[in-house]
C-alpha cells in the first residue's frame, strides 16, 4: 500500500546528511542507493548491512509528522495542508533542534539514534502537522498493530492518539531523533558509540524546511516528493 511521511531532513550539502546517508547507504533526496564502501562506514569499528536494512527504507530523517498509509489521490490536499500549517508561522520564527543530554543513545541496547530536543516553535510545528496532516492517513503499521490488541490492556492516552492520529509518538510522547541502526547487534557498543560521536558531534540544527516523502504501492523505499521551505 502507498504511504506518505512528513519528515525533517538536513540540507543535502550538510555533513550531517551526507554521513547519515552513507551509513544507511541510501540518499532519500534523490532516491538512489550509495556505494557500500564509503568513508563513514569505514570509520565504524564494525558494520553489518542487516543493521541498516530497515532504517534505510526511510532514508536519513527525523519523523516530524508520521509515516502513514493513504490514498494517493489525496496527495494535492496533503501538500495544501502542509502549506497552510507553515503559513501560520511568522517569517521570523526560528525552528531549532538541540542535542539531547545523551545525544547518541542505544535504546533497548539495539537502536542507535541521534537524539534531539525541539525548541517551542519546533514542537508547535510538530503538533500542527500532526493535527492537520495525519487525518489524511488511513492507517499505519502502529495502528494496525493496536487494532489486534485488547484495548483494556492499552495505555488509554496512547490508544486515543493511535485511534485519532495513527501513532502514539506525538505531543509529549514525541522524541525527535535520526535513526542510524536498528537492530544493532554488534559486539563493541562502547567503541561504536565513540565512533558515532566522532562522526556526529553534538550540534544545534536549524530547521529550514519540512519534507513530504512518498512510497508508492509496491516500492520498498521512500523518496522525496516535495520540500517546503520555512
Amino acid at each position: 500500500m502507498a504511504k506518505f511521511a512528513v519528515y525533517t531532513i538536513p540540507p543535502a550539502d550538510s555533513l550531517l546528511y551526507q554521513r547519515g546517508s552513507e551509513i544507511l547507504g541510501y540518499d532519500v533526496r534523490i532516491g538512489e542507493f550509495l556505494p557500500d564502501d564509503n568513508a563513514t562506514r569505514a570509520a565504524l569499528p564494525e558494520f553489518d548491512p542487516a543493521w541498516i536494512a530497515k532504517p534505510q527504507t526511510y532514508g536519513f530523517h527525523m519523523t516530524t509528522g508520521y509515516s502513514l498509509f493513504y490514498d494517493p489521490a489525496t496527495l494535492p490536499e496533503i501538500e495544501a495542508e502542509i502549506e497552510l500549517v507553515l503559513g501560520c508561522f511568522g517569517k521570523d520564527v526560528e525552528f531549532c533542534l538541540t542535542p539531547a543530554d545523551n545525544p547518541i543513545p542505544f535504546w533497548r541496547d539495539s537502536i542507535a539514534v541521534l537524539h534531539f530536543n525541539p525548541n517551542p516553535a519546533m514542537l508547535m510545528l510538530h503538533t500542527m502537522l500532526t493535527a492537520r496532516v495525519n487525518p489524511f492517513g488511513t492507517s499505519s503499521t502502529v495502528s494496525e498493530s493496536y487494532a489486534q490488541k485488547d484495548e483494556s490492556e492499552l495505555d488509554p492516552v496512547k490508544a486515543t492518539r493511535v485511534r485519532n492520529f495513527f501513532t502514539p509518538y506525538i505531543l509529549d510522547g514525541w522524541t525527535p531523533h535520526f535513526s542510524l541502526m536498528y537492530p544493532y547487534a554488534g559486539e563493541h557498543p562502547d567503541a561504536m558509540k565513540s565512533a558515532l560521536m566522532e562522526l556526529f558531534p553534538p550540534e544545534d540544527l536549524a530547521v529550514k524546511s519540512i519534507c513530504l516523502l512518498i512510497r508508492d504501492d509496491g516500492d520498498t523505499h521512500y523518496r522525496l516528493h516535495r520540500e517546503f521551505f520555512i
Side-chain angles (χ1 to χ4, degrees):
M1 296 174 61
K3 299 185 80 173
F4 78 90
V6 180
Y7 289 161
T8 296
I9 300 178
D13 60 356
S14 68
L15 196 58
L16 174 62
Y17 181 73
Q18 292 169 3
R19 287 179 171 174
S21 297
E22 284 187 349
I23 282 184
L24 297 183
Y26 179 65
D27 188 329
V28 71
R29 284 184 167 276
I30 59 176
E32 293 183 2
F33 294 100
L34 301 176
D36 291 336
D37 296 325
N38 57 62
T40 303
R41 289 185 180 182
L44 302 175
E46 52 184 348
F47 183 79
D48 187 325
W51 302 343
I52 53 85
K54 186 172 182 179
Q56 183 192 81
T57 65
Y58 298 92
F60 188 69
H61 75 280
M62 173 181 290
T63 300
T64 311
Y66 203 61
S67 170
L68 303 171
F69 295 107
Y70 81 117
D71 178 355
T74 64
L75 188 59
E77 295 176 75
I78 293 171
E79 294 181 61
E81 203 66 29
I82 294 174
E83 289 182 326
L84 183 153
V85 169
L86 297 180
C88 290
F89 290 89
K91 296 300 182 183
D92 58 343
V93 174
E94 296 183 352
F95 302 93
C96 185
L97 297 157
T98 56
D101 292 338
N102 184 16
I104 303 184
F106 278 79
W107 289 345
R108 298 193 295 276
D109 297 325
S110 64
I111 304 176
V113 305
L114 305 179
H115 183 195
F116 285 81
N117 292 321
N119 74 338
M122 192 66 195
L123 181 56
M124 285 190 289
L125 177 59
H126 153 75
T127 302
M128 286 286 289
L129 288 170
T130 297
R132 301 286 302 195
V133 178
N134 280 33
F136 284 95
T138 56
S139 67
S140 70
T141 50
V142 172
S143 69
E144 292 180 353
S145 174
Y146 267 58
Q148 303 302 314
K149 300 177 180 179
D150 184 340
E151 188 158 341
S152 65
E153 299 177 356
L154 300 174
D155 179 294
V157 172
K158 291 182 178 180
T160 298
R161 292 172 177 175
V162 171
R163 188 163 50 250
N164 291 277
F165 301 106
F166 308 113
T167 171
Y169 310 119
I170 59 175
L171 308 177
D172 57 306
W174 184 45
T175 307
H177 64 275
F178 293 91
S179 296
L180 298 175
M181 302 176 191
Y182 62 93
Y184 166 73
E187 299 179 355
H188 308 287
D190 291 339
M192 177 64 78
K193 184 169 184 176
S194 178
L196 291 174
M197 287 290 291
E198 289 288 330
L199 289 167
F200 300 97
E203 296 179 344
D204 289 355
L205 176 61
V207 176
K208 299 297 184 181
S209 70
I210 292 297
C211 295
L212 175 61
L213 283 72
I214 59 174
R215 191 195 74 184
D216 293 332
D217 190 15
D219 285 352
T220 58
H221 288 62
Y222 285 79
R223 69 180 188 280
L224 177 63
H225 171 71
R226 181 176 171 185
E227 186 166 12
F228 300 80
F229 290 94
I230 52 181

